[in-house]
Amino acid sequence: MSVRSACVPMFAMLAFSISAQAAPSAYSNLVVFGDSLSDAGQFPDVGGPLGASLRFTNRVGPTYQPGNGEVIGPTSVMLLGSRLGFSAQTLGPSTSPTNAVLGLPDGNNWAVGGYRTDQIYDSITAENGSVVSVSGITLRQRDGYLVELAEQGARIDPDTLFYLSGGGNDFLQGLITSPATAAASADQLAASVSALQQAGGQYFMVWLLPDLGLTPDINGTAQQSGASLLSNVFNTELVARLSMIEANIIPLNVPLLLNEVLADPATYGLAADQDLTGTCFDDCDNPSTTYGLNGTTPDPTRLLYNDSVHPTSTGQRLIADYAYSLLAAPWELTLLPEMAYGSLTGHQRQLQAEWASDRYRWQAIGQWRGFISPGGFRQDLDSQSASTDGNNDGYSLDLGGSYRVNKSWRLGIAAGLYRQTLETGASDSEYDLRSYFATAFAQYQQGRWWADLSLSGGYLDYNDLQRTFSLGPAERSEKGDTRGQLWAAGGRLGFDLATPQGAWHLSPYISADYARIEVDGYLEQSQRSTALAVDDQTRRSRRLGAGVEGQAVLGAATQLFLDVAREKEFEDNAADLALSQRAVPTLRYTLAGYRPSDRLDRVSLGVRQQLSEDLSLRANYSYSKAREGDSQQAVGLSLAWQW
């Protein structure tokens, strides 16, 4: 058996260990730079199976011991990348000597254990800048990322997500000894982001440095307070420098996240009876006597640190889930205007059904006709590259009246109350909306020609917004509420192929509709690492359509009606949502979200029963489906009377 074929099971095992259901992703690639916190396996793992790579976390078990054929688990960025749908090869190391020997392709993770911020910068910008070495012996080197791109005549795809961590080794290797040197190292890490941005990068996720004073390496020593102080100086300077770069930079506030976890360890699967910042699983001065590698019940998942500075698999999962929650937020939150749009179209469809049911059966001149129409609806939103799927269920009440002015014109007003709940995302986030509509309409019919015109306004009350996501074994919800408003105008012009007095009618028609929906920005209510400040959103719709409306009289008191149409949407660009984290307000970034379909097919059908001379009952069903798979269906029942 060849060395390469012997390694296949090991690579399959690693791929299985990081596998996850592929989720929406607005990003074409994930490219990583940094240190051991992100290293995907640049170094050989001498204690693992043949061909294994070293990562700076615990082995997958069950013994967790070297020499037993157990690989080391994935780092947080590998877990994140898997959730974003990237392959194990893409998430693999860039400069692995093991891959070179085995003839395996390189990945896009350029992070190398031990790198300082200046070496991270070189791995991006310098010739021979990516170096993997042990004790001064170079195992492999290659040109930095941007150098290789230039050599290939390639450019950065603007939809690439860059992920950076760094700064810890500047402390551990003695470069940071004062606030000035801490700030200088932060500037160096920001320079890496700047170099990528100047080359065309637009999207970045950057770690804030964990509090080194709360790691087993330093916690409880005389250096603890100084390390904590300098960690904070580093982060303050890093955020300040990053805010000057014109890019979408998402800060990973890892120090705040870990503080939240340490305040309630049991919720996140950690042992509440252990000193989680003073002990580790293995390779520190004070390994846990209970859950450590040589403890009574070895279990790294109950501890936060694998060694003196690196997280266990539990810590890696928490950080990955945190990062994913930030990236996934716009995929859910840009559905808020779509909820309102669904309510608006539901209101419009109910009015159109009301009009179609009594076309050519208007009340007498000078009389009023009123109606009340309860209903229910369901909106199914399919997953896209930058939005999640979701189910939007609700109920409605429409009521109104019309006055016949003369033989050809009828004027009216209507009101609508709609309430709905959207469930979306991997953890079933819930967003509630109450919509209040007022519509004025005018109808015309003369001979075979007819027309409907409407103007609507609406008030939107998003009174219970719960964005829910996983954090390790736990779930967390960030809550908020906001308001909004909308207005819309629409018209249809049709021509009846039959005579107005006939028993059946078939009317081709054209339609035009415009809507503008505004959702106010809001703050999620907590001050945690995951809480967001959400900017205003505006959703516009410009539609042209063509359809056929038909009616058939079945006896003196019963009428069937049908409406089939196709509409073209001209406002079909993806929504962009500006966000910031409440704990890091100066870094504001804009991410892509939901994209409306450019085409919609719809059908409505119903029956109208005349109960008495002045009283009628209508029932209707409508269904619409977009090209990309989004759909909406509704049922309604209406009682109408004349006076």
Side-chain angles (χ1 to χ4, degrees):
M1 181 184 296
S2 69
V3 172
R4 180 185 177 117
S5 61
C7 294
V8 170
M10 186 276 298
F11 288 112
M13 188 188 315
L14 177 60
F16 177 80
S17 71
I18 65 172
S19 65
Q21 184 177 1
S25 178
Y27 307 103
S28 60
N29 204 353
L30 176 63
V31 182
V32 183
F33 301 96
D35 52 22
S36 53
L37 293 171
S38 301
D39 189 334
Q42 304 282 14
F43 298 94
D45 177 17
V46 296
L50 183 64
S53 295
L54 176 69
R55 281 172 296 280
F56 296 85
T57 188
N58 55 271
R59 297 187 185 277
V60 297
T63 71
Y64 308 106
Q65 295 281 354
N68 285 341
E70 298 169 9
V71 298
I72 298 173
T75 56
S76 60
V77 70
M78 298 169 72
L79 295 169
L80 172 64
S82 180
R83 290 197 69 179
L84 294 175
F86 294 109
S87 67
Q89 184 271 313
T90 297
L91 301 175
S94 65
T95 319
S96 164
T98 302
N99 285 355
V101 170
L102 297 176
L104 297 174
D106 291 319
N108 287 332
N109 189 320
W110 297 70
V112 177
Y115 265 13
R116 303 180 305 270
T117 54
D118 60 313
Q119 293 171 304
I120 294 170
Y121 182 79
D122 287 345
S123 71
I124 298 170
T125 63
E127 294 182 2
N128 296 318
S130 180
V131 181
V132 177
S133 63
V134 176
S135 301
I137 300 174
T138 298
L139 304 181
R140 186 183 174 193
Q141 68 180 26
R142 59 186 289 195
D143 288 338
Y145 172 77
L146 293 179
V147 177
E148 286 206 351
L149 278 184
E151 291 170 348
Q152 297 164 6
R155 303 182 66 178
I156 290 176
D157 186 319
D159 292 327
T160 298
L161 175 63
F162 292 99
Y163 184 103
L164 293 91
S165 65
N169 290 307
D170 294 48
F171 281 87
L172 300 177
Q173 296 178 30
L175 269 68
I176 293 179
T177 57
S178 66
T181 52
S185 289
D187 292 345
Q188 182 69 75
L189 185 60
S192 294
V193 176
S194 182
L196 293 165
Q197 182 268 339
Q198 292 174 19
Q202 295 186 19
Y203 299 101
F204 299 86
M205 181 166 271
V206 182
W207 276 53
L208 302 190
L209 185 67
D211 184 347
L212 296 181
L214 295 179
T215 62
D217 187 59
I218 299 176
N219 188 51
T221 69
Q223 291 78 38
Q224 178 178 344
S225 61
S228 294
L229 173 65
L230 293 178
S231 298
N232 186 61
V233 170
F234 179 96
N235 287 333
T236 300
E237 177 67 14
L238 178 61
V239 169
R241 287 298 302 271
L242 293 176
S243 66
M244 300 177 186
I245 300 172
E246 293 185 3
N248 298 299
I249 301 174
I250 308 166
L252 272 183
N253 198 344
V254 176
L256 181 55
L257 172 70
L258 296 184
N259 284 341
E260 294 161 3
V261 170
L262 292 169
D264 187 14
T267 295
Y268 302 99
L270 299 172
D273 60 347
Q274 298 290 300
D275 181 2
L276 296 174
T277 59
T279 62
C280 72
F281 180 66
D282 184 37
D283 196 19
C284 68
D285 292 339
N286 188 28
S288 172
T289 57
T290 303
Y291 299 113
L293 182 62
N294 298 309
T296 55
T297 55
D299 186 357
T301 66
R302 304 302 307 281
L303 301 172
L304 183 58
Y305 285 100
N306 178 62
D307 53 32
S308 59
V309 291
H310 300 107
T312 61
S313 56
T314 297
Q316 304 286 355
R317 170 64 68 183
L318 287 167
I319 295 167
D321 287 348
Y322 167 47
Y324 185 80
S325 77
L326 300 176
L327 293 174
W331 307 340
E332 296 185 12
L333 297 177
T334 53
L335 296 179
L336 298 183
E338 296 310 308
M339 296 176 68
Y341 186 70
S343 292
L344 172 65
T345 55
H347 176 64
Q348 292 172 330
R349 299 291 179 263
Q350 290 295 344
L351 290 180
Q352 289 166 4
E354 194 69 33
W355 300 336
S357 70
D358 74 341
R359 197 166 318 273
Y360 311 112
R361 290 172 175 260
W362 287 3
Q363 68 270 34
I365 295 173
Q367 285 193 327
W368 287 88
R369 181 177 184 274
F371 68 89
I372 182 168
S373 176
F377 62 94
R378 180 181 181 89
Q379 188 179 20
D380 293 312
L381 300 168
D382 277 5
S383 176
Q384 301 179 354
S385 63
S387 71
T388 60
D389 59 0
N391 298 318
N392 183 18
D393 297 316
Y395 56 87
S396 62
L397 179 66
D398 293 286
L399 67 161
S402 62
Y403 178 77
R404 187 166 184 179
V405 179
N406 54 39
K407 180 181 178 180
S408 300
W409 286 95
R410 185 168 73 165
L411 305 178
I413 56 174
L417 168 62
Y418 283 65
R419 182 168 184 176
Q420 62 202 103
T421 298
L422 170 68
E423 290 189 359
T424 186
S427 297
D428 292 330
S429 300
E430 287 194 0
Y431 303 96
D432 290 344
L433 169 63
R434 292 185 179 94
S435 304
Y436 305 89
F437 300 116
T439 297
F441 61 87
Q443 293 181 270
Y444 171 84
Q445 60 183 29
Q446 179 68 45
R448 297 188 178 189
W449 290 97
W450 58 264
D452 301 325
L453 301 171
S454 65
L455 180 64
S456 301
Y459 172 73
L460 310 173
D461 180 11
Y462 295 91
N463 64 332
D464 188 11
L465 307 178
Q466 297 188 49
R467 183 173 60 90
T468 304
F469 45 89
S470 298
L471 276 182
E475 284 191 346
R476 176 181 287 187
S477 292
E478 295 292 354
K479 302 178 181 180
D481 56 70
T482 188
R483 304 291 180 265
Q485 51 279 326
L486 64 80
W487 71 272
R492 301 193 301 170
L493 176 65
F495 181 79
D496 191 359
L497 301 179
T499 61
Q501 295 77 27
W504 63 271
H505 301 275
L506 190 65
S507 303
Y509 69 86
I510 56 175
S511 64
D513 293 273
Y514 177 83
R516 178 185 174 95
I517 300 167
E518 297 175 346
V519 180
D520 297 340
Y522 68 98
L523 300 176
E524 292 180 330
Q525 294 169 358
S526 83
Q527 296 287 343
R528 296 179 296 195
S529 58
T530 49
L532 298 174
V534 183
D535 205 0
D536 297 342
Q537 298 187 65
T538 299
R539 159 80 152 99
R540 295 178 180 86
S541 174
R542 291 184 298 120
R543 308 190 314 275
L544 291 178
V548 176
E549 180 184 282
Q551 293 92 17
V553 176
L554 303 179
T558 305
Q559 177 186 3
L560 300 179
F561 57 92
L562 174 71
D563 186 351
V564 179
R566 170 169 288 182
E567 297 178 347
K568 165 68 176 177
E569 174 64 73
F570 292 91
E571 297 280 355
D572 60 346
N573 292 327
D576 290 327
L577 181 59
L579 300 161
S580 63
Q581 295 165 36
R582 295 203 63 182
V584 194
T586 57
L587 285 179
R588 190 167 178 265
Y589 47 90
T590 299
L591 303 178
Y594 178 82
R595 180 170 189 165
S597 176
D598 67 341
R599 193 181 76 189
L600 180 76
D601 296 316
R602 59 178 180 83
V603 59
S604 299
L605 55 95
V607 58
R608 178 180 184 268
Q609 182 70 33
Q610 194 72 34
L611 302 179
S612 68
E613 183 178 354
D614 296 324
L615 190 66
S616 64
L617 183 68
R618 168 184 61 81
N620 68 285
Y621 170 80
S622 65
Y623 179 81
S624 60
K625 188 175 181 65
R627 184 201 298 266
E628 286 76 13
D630 293 356
S631 65
Q632 182 169 335
Q633 51 188 323
V635 294
L637 189 68
S638 175
L639 184 66
W641 61 95
Q642 297 179 181
W643 75 93

